[in-house]
Amino acid sequence: MFISASVGLVMNLYLGLGLRKEDHINVKSAVLHMIGDAMASAGVIIGGLIILFTGWNIVDPILSVLIAFLIALGFGRMENCKADNRNFNGRYTERKLFRKSNGNNSCS
């Protein structure tokens, strides 16, 4: 479990961080997916260590819900950008896509 999660963490971070400078919406979506997978792998490692040393099995579903929430948050930001017709041309800058919301939307 730890070996496969570690390999997944390293590969997803390597690929996700390597592609983060691309500004096409499809690449940004793939990067968010890879970062989500990296978070899941990190959660498996952390959860496994906590369970191994403490026997606290409830940590697995707690981490799963937290990871799902973070992935949904990233998806919501992506969809807000995609739905904003003023900014939609198939390309976004990282600044526009990942900037915190100023009250209008997370893209502007």
Side-chain angles (χ1 to χ4, degrees):
M1 169 177 63
F2 290 114
I3 293 171
S4 61
S6 297
V7 169
L9 177 64
V10 169
M11 291 305 296
N12 281 303
L13 284 176
Y14 175 75
L15 293 171
L17 295 176
L19 291 173
R20 71 173 188 230
K21 294 183 182 183
E22 297 291 326
D23 59 349
H24 194 276
I25 190 74
N26 292 337
V27 177
K28 287 293 185 187
S29 180
V31 168
L32 282 176
H33 182 87
M34 285 184 263
I35 298 300
D37 285 349
M39 287 189 308
S41 295
V44 167
I45 294 168
I46 292 167
L49 290 172
I50 291 172
I51 292 170
L52 181 66
F53 291 115
T54 67
W56 192 39
N57 292 329
I58 194 72
V59 75
D60 185 39
I62 291 171
L63 286 174
S64 296
V65 169
L66 288 174
I67 291 167
F69 176 74
L70 290 173
I71 292 170
L73 183 66
F75 173 75
R77 294 179 115 184
M78 180 70 68
E79 285 300 308
N80 283 342
C81 288
K82 192 170 142 185
D84 184 4
N85 290 331
R86 291 176 294 134
N87 292 327
F88 183 70
N89 64 2
R91 295 194 176 274
Y92 295 89
T93 62
E94 188 168 326
R95 179 178 44 75
K96 283 184 181 178
L97 187 59
F98 294 106
R99 185 187 314 168
K100 289 186 178 182
S101 177
N102 61 5
N104 297 331
N105 62 43
S106 62
C107 207
S108 60

